[in-house]
Amino acid sequence: MPIYEYECKFCFSRFQLLQKFSDPPPEVCPHCGKKGGIKKLISPTSFELKGSGWYATDYKSSSNSNNATSASSKSQTKEAKSG
């Protein structure tokens, strides 16, 4: 379940709620108790990709690069034999 961040327009307090996507937004501020002043905030995530990436280092098959080098070496051998 995602964590949503909200702000009260009356007391300007911010709070977070762990909610399902289908749950309705809160109507009452947990700090001041006023109703109807809650708005959802869009916050940056803590997830960040850095470096060369997990695909290139962990999952990319090396057979593609091996096939390309073996194909080029085979064509060079054929040219040497025919020439």
Side-chain angles (χ1 to χ4, degrees):
M1 281 194 294
I3 298 174
Y4 294 102
E5 188 174 18
Y6 295 95
E7 182 178 50
C8 177
K9 71 176 183 180
F10 300 115
C11 66
F12 301 104
S13 65
R14 289 185 174 191
F15 58 96
Q16 296 177 347
L17 289 177
L18 180 67
Q19 293 181 307
K20 292 181 185 178
F21 185 75
S22 60
D23 287 347
E27 294 181 6
V28 179
C29 175
H31 299 281
C32 68
K34 292 186 178 179
K35 186 176 181 178
I38 306 297
K39 71 175 184 176
K40 186 185 284 188
L41 301 175
I42 298 174
S43 305
T45 64
S46 60
F47 181 76
E48 188 174 334
L49 295 174
K50 287 185 174 182
S52 61
W54 56 268
Y55 176 76
T57 57
D58 296 339
Y59 294 101
K60 189 175 181 181
S61 66
S62 60
S63 62
N64 292 342
S65 61
N66 289 342
N67 290 340
T69 55
S70 65
S72 65
S73 64
K74 286 180 184 178
S75 65
Q76 290 173 355
T77 311
K78 287 180 184 179
E79 289 174 4
K81 286 181 182 178
S82 65

